[in-house]
């Protein structure tokens, strides 16, 4: 039988890390919904290829070396002279290698002069003297040439020499694209235009028909590039290759006209505005609104700026105007702390308005409109630079889909749009006083302005409408019509781990091992909680995934603590002692480049208080990049948990515990909000308490827990329950059901408490079913270990946890009221239950062997 033809293949390429690039992600999803076989290719932030999936879309992040860049930098203004003075010494690293090689040779040869007879000794000493002269000359010549190398950045007017990063990107991306053999290449931004042009040409030369289109996200001739060479190179590369594209796409009619006129294109580029997906707005998928993240009530006037913070974005005018807007708050939705953001916040501190500025994290692209909708007005305070003048930015569509009137500077396109639609107020871009007046008017007229955000406006500014032309263009260029997809790809599909590993596994069961802190670019500290040994497990996962990372694990240890692996154990009873505190300062400052603080604990003992908040200023001054890692009780808010869960563990907590934990959770939430640091959580339920966080799944030694013993073959299946503390698992609530079924001979129930963890592994592998908890709505380390052993796990799982796991979580959900029925169903359908066990093992390998956790943390470890 003839095999069916493959789906037409689309490669969407972008030079960034993909995450946060809503246009690129929506392009890929739209094409997949249209039936294309889509691969999304971006840049890895490690030295390894990273693979994942976005529903049916394969996501490949490719490492980009800097070899061509290094070779260009080694070429000097006097190439002939440089060839002589820098012979085979391309850079400082090459000089270092030469030094080491020479020193090793000297040690070996000088030793031989002692061991050798007189004639050979004389000749060896002569060689030593001659080579010493050559060595000194080469080192001096290298330094002399380096001092005379021009330090200016005047373009040499060859884009390959002026911005060799474009060539390095092509060398990295090109082979991946050509191996894929796409029918269409969609190149995003000028940084990928060279790669797309070369790869398409090479594929055509090999006999494979491939078309490509160039998607110009901005007017690059109008961007204020930080380097004159970059300012020359990117427009030059665009000019050289844009005419070779089979089609050109851009974001606004004005930019389309500029591209046509600048490059003599035969027709106008297709306009595809970067708008939100309207279908998912109001779906309720967003965990928290921007107002909730800021901790503000509905009565507080709230302005929001969402997106990249660059000097041209004009947010400084907003900050400078805040003293004239008493009571008005500002939310800055941004991805990370930057020097510019720190500068803006310092200005706000000086003006006395810092307490009215709130940092809010990014959310997935399909949640943006709902996330922003609780604010009152959206801001586009752009400066009047050419690139900002020629298009409606993405944030305009996002604000309007969120129902927010606009306050915009007088940049041409946005000003004309706002005034035509009567949906906002305009101010003079460099005048904070006019911003304050415009914002005041907009807040007073909010209801009136919002009423002008019509159905026609919303339809036009939707991705469904904008992307229709793009999908038609793919078909026209490729002369291919994709078949109807077998399943509908949801617009809000989430990225999940791929099948391929992102790092090599040691393959050794038992205690985790990691690269000892040393001479790597990233020197990471993890601690000081190390709950359940997760600090050590994270250390192994990160150092295996990235050879540039070395780690030191620290654990505050009490007499009753388990001996989880760590590099440094600190006596928890002595954290108040000055000598212990100074030891921690000396160990961290000057040694770490990055620090993951777990459980919000201080890292300098109690030198600056009982939480990490007091240590942050010193860590910042030491230029240590800090992230926060939450495990559970440090951030889980008892009162809110009680509201969400009928059988919350806090209903059975011993007296006083819930109150103490609530105080701790509220303090730690304030630290997370006010610090603006990256925040990670080890279990997905904690996203309810820290909506700005990212889930970094628990890491277990999957291989050591793997078991080949089949489940559900006994007449009385063994049901294992192993609470560390009964009230945290709901043990007393489920015991009546389990005891009754055991007494009736339906199950062999085994309650295990207080045994060494090494014995626990054997008990888990022997069991058929594992009952974890019915009190938290999530699953923890023990559940993951049981899944790794291929055991079906029963626990209460909330809807938000299911959503965070993208619907893949194979844990069987039960409450005390439904446990009897759930167990009966599992026993009646033994084949189906065994299949759940196999899916559990696969889930543990996919999410919890450390690879996905390392990939989530890779952005922080840049």
């Amino acid at each position: 039988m003839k095999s069916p033809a493959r789906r037409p293949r689309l490669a969407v390429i972008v030079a960034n890390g993909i995450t946060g690039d809503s246009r690129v992600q929506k392009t890929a999803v739209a094409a997949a919904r249209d039936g294309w076989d889509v691969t999304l290719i971006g840049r890895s932030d490690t030295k390894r290829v990273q693979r994942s999936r976005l529903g049916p879309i394969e996501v490949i992040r490719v490492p980009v070396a800097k070899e061509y860049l290094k070779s260009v930098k080694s070429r000097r203004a006097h190439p002939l002279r440089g060839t002589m003075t820098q012979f085979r010494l391309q850079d400082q690293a090459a000089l270092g290698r030469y030094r080491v090689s020479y020193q090793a040779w000297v040690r070996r040869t000088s030793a031989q002069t002692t061991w050798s007879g007189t004639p050979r000794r004389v000749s060896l000493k002569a060689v030593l003297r001659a080579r010493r002269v050559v060595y000194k000359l080469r080192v001096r010549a290298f330094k002399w040439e380096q001092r005379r190398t021009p330090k200016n950045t005047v373009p040499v007017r060859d884009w390959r020499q002026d911005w060799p990063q474009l060539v390095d990107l092509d060398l990295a991306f090109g082979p991946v694209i050509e191996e894929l053999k796409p029918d269409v290449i969609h190149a995003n931004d000028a940084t990928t235009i060279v790669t797309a042009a070369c790869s398409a040409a090479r594929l055509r030369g090999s006999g494979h028909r491939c078309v490509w289109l160039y998607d110009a996200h901005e007017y690059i001739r109008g961007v204020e590039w930080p380097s004159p060479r970059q300012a020359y190179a990117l427009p030059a590369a665009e000019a050289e290759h844009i005419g070779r594209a089979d089609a050109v796409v851009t974001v606004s009619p004005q930019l389309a006209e500029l591209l046509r006129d600048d490059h003599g294109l035969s027709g106008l580029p297709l306009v595809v505005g970067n708008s939100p997906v309207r279908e998912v707005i109001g779906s309720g998928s967003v965990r928290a609104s921007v107002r909730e993240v800021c901790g503000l009530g509905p009565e507080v006037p709230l302005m929001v700026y969402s997106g990249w913070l660059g000097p041209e974005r004009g947010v400084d005018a907003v900050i400078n105007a805040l003293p004239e807007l008493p009571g008005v708050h500002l939310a800055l939705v941004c991805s990370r702390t930057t020097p510019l953001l720190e500068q803006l916040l310092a200005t706000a501190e000086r003006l006395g308005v810092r307490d009215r500025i709130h940092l809010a994290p990014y959310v997935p692209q399909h949640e943006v409109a709902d996330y922003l909708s609780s604010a009152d007005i959206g801001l586009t305070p752009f400066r009047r630079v050419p690139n900002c003048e020629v298009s409606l930015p993405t944030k305009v569509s996002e604000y309007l889909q969120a129902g927010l009137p606009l306050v915009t500077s007088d940049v041409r396109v946005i000003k004309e749009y706002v005034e035509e639609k009567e949906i906002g107020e305009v101010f003079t871009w460099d005048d904070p006083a006019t911003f304050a007046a415009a914002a005041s008017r907009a807040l007073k007229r909010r209801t009136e302005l919002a009423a002008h955000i019509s159905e026609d406006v919303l339809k036009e500014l939707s991705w469904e409408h904008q992307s229709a032309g793009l999908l038609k263009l793919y078909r026209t260029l490729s002369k291919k019509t994709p078949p109807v997809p077998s399943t509908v790809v949801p617009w809000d599909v989430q990225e999940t781990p791929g099948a391929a590993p992102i790092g090599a596994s040691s393959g050794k069961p038992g205690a985790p091992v990691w690269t000892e802190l040393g001479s790597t670019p990233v020197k990471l500290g993890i601690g000081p909680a190390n709950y359940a040994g997760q600090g050590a497990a994270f250390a192994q996962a990160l150092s295996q995934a990235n050879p540039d990372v070395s780690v030191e694990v620290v654990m505050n240890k009490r007499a009753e603590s388990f001996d989880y692996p760590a590099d440094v154990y600190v006596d928890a009873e002595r954290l108040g002692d000055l000598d212990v505190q100074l030891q921690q300062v000396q160990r961290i400052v000057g040694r770490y480049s990055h620090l993951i603080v777990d459980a919000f604990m201080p890292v300098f003992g109690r030198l600056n208080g009982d939480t990490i908040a007091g240590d942050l200023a010193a860590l910042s001054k030491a230029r240590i990049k800090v992230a926060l890692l939450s495990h559970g009780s440090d951030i889980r808010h008892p009162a809110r948990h009680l509201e969400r869960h009928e059988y919350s563990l806090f209903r059975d907590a011993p007296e006083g515990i819930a109150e103490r934990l609530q105080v701790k959770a509220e303090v730690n939430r304030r630290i997370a909000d006010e610090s603006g640091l990256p925040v990670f959580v080890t279990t997905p339920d904690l996203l309810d308490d820290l909506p700005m966080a990212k889930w970094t799944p628990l890491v277990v030694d999957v291989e050591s827990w793997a078991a080949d013993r089949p489940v559900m073959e006994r007449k009385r299946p063994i049901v294992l329950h192993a609470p560390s503390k009964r009230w945290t698992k709901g043990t007393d609530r489920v015991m009546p059901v389990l005891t009754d079924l055991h007494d009736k001979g339906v199950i062999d129930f085994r309650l295990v408490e207080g045994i060494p963890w090494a014995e626990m592994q054997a008990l888990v592998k022997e069991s058929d079913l594992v009952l974890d908890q019915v009190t938290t709505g999530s699953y923890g380390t023990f559940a993951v270990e049981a899944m790794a052993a291929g055991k079906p796990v029963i626990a209460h799982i909330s809807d938000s946890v299911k959503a965070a796991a993208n619907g893949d979580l194979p844990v069987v959900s039960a409450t005390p009221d439904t446990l009897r029925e759930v167990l009966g169903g599992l026993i009646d359908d033994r084949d189906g239950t065994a299949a759940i066990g196999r899916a559990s093992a696969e889930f543990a390998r996919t999410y919890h062997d450390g690879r996905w956790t390392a990939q989530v943390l890779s952005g922080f470890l840049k």
Side-chain angles (χ1 to χ4, degrees), residues 34 270 467-478 480:
D34 196 40
L270 174 69
S467 64
L470 180 63
L471 298 176
K472 183 179 179 181
L473 180 63
Y474 289 158
R475 296 182 179 216
T476 302
L477 292 177
S478 66
K480 292 181 180 291

Side-chain angles (χ1 to χ4, degrees), residues 124-141:
L124 285 175
K125 287 184 176 181
V127 171
L128 277 167
R129 287 193 295 272
R131 188 160 176 182
R132 184 182 301 118
V133 171
V134 173
Y135 170 75
K136 289 182 176 179
L137 283 173
R138 291 201 66 188
V139 172
R140 288 175 181 172

Side-chain angles (χ1 to χ4, degrees), residues 531-590:
Y531 289 149
Q534 282 300 297
F538 274 37
Q540 175 170 283
L542 290 168
S543 60
Q544 286 181 356
N546 190 342
D548 287 342
V549 176
S550 58
V551 192
E552 183 171 86
V553 180
V554 179
M555 180 177 177
N556 291 346
K557 192 174 183 304
R558 300 182 182 277
E560 67 274 15
S561 302
F562 283 108
D563 289 326
Y564 294 117
D567 294 296
V568 178
Y569 294 99
V570 181
D571 186 349
E573 303 298 329
R574 297 190 59 210
L575 295 178
D577 294 356
L578 183 60
D579 59 336
V580 173
Q581 295 163 0
L582 293 179
Q583 286 173 9
Q584 306 319 305
V585 173
Q586 292 168 356
R587 186 176 47 74
I588 293 172
V589 174

Side-chain angles (χ1 to χ4, degrees), residues 287 631-633 635-636 641 644-645 649 681-691 695 698 775-780 796 798 800-802 804:
R287 293 180 177 275
H631 295 282
S633 60
I635 202 65
R636 188 180 289 116
H641 197 271
R644 292 193 296 265
H645 300 287
L649 71 162
V681 294
T682 54
T683 58
D685 61 305
L686 300 181
L687 296 171
D688 292 330
D689 293 286
L690 280 175
W695 176 34
L698 294 159
T775 58
T776 65
S778 190
Y779 66 102
H796 173 52
S798 69
S800 64
V801 169
K802 293 175 187 175

Side-chain angles (χ1 to χ4, degrees), residues 212-215 242 245-249 473 477:
W212 70 284
L213 60 92
Y214 168 50
D215 191 342
I242 192 170
D246 296 285
V248 179
V249 175
L473 180 63
L477 292 177

